[in-house]
Amino acid sequence: MSSGERYQIASDVNETYILGAGDKVRVTVFNEPNLSGEFAVGSDGTISLPLVGDLVAQGKTTKLVADEFAAKLADGYILKPSVAMEVSVYRPFFILGEVEKPGQYPYANGMTALNAIATAGGYTPRAKRTVVFIRKFGEAAETEYELTSSLRILPGDTIRLGERYF
């Protein structure tokens, strides 16, 4: 059974959040409303931004992508651009196993495993209520966690509730 960072309360997911396919970001270029807007990370991991085209966002933080966008804008388009970027819509999480309504659901900042189970309609009568299996976005294997009120879920996670045996 794993322990660690999933049981700690995070102050802000945006500070360490790694972008991936399915995320949407809000980009603001100071004094340039035509370059600002909401953009989606495509399935290839890129964001298509005005003037500069596609930038690789997969595996990077919003700060790093915003800095790259500013550098490209500074290269012949805008003198000293100021770019801010934040995640406006996180990629969804998935829940399966012994819940009433398994499926894909939108992620909410600060979500816990208990919140995710409630979103999926709650436990079935056969659900094991002490452990949960989580496969992190981009990983092949799932990890077993003790189901507590402080167990955090991250965008893109796949959550599985097992069946208890009588």
Side-chain angles (χ1 to χ4, degrees), residues 76-148:
Y77 296 108
I78 298 173
L79 185 64
K80 296 184 182 178
S82 178
V83 177
M85 183 180 291
E86 65 181 347
V87 179
S88 58
V89 178
Y90 293 97
R91 60 185 167 266
F93 72 92
F94 303 87
I95 187 164
L96 50 102
E98 296 299 323
V99 291
E100 291 293 333
K101 298 175 189 166
Q104 171 183 316
Y105 293 94
Y107 177 81
N109 205 355
M111 181 167 271
T112 66
L114 292 177
N115 298 138
I117 292 166
T119 301
Y123 301 104
T124 65
R126 293 186 309 266
K128 188 172 186 178
R129 298 174 187 217
T130 56
V131 297
V132 65
F133 300 91
I134 300 174
R135 183 174 54 86
K136 190 175 179 179
F137 178 75
E139 292 183 359
E142 58 184 22
T143 305
E144 182 179 2
Y145 292 92
E146 180 182 358
L147 187 54
T148 67

Side-chain angles (χ1 to χ4, degrees), residues 17-25 39-47 56-62 65 87 89-92 137-138 155-156:
Y17 184 67
I18 303 298
L19 293 170
D23 289 324
K24 287 187 180 175
V25 294
F39 303 93
V41 179
S43 59
D44 62 350
T46 63
I47 298 178
V56 175
Q58 179 90 25
K60 298 178 182 176
T61 64
T62 53
V65 177
V87 179
V89 178
Y90 293 97
R91 60 185 167 266
F137 178 75

Side-chain angles (χ1 to χ4, degrees), residues 27-32 35-36 66-67 69-71 73-74 78-85:
V27 178
T28 305
V29 182
F30 183 67
N31 280 340
E32 297 292 339
L35 300 178
S36 301
D67 291 345
F69 185 35
L73 289 174
I78 298 173
L79 185 64
K80 296 184 182 178
S82 178
V83 177
M85 183 180 291

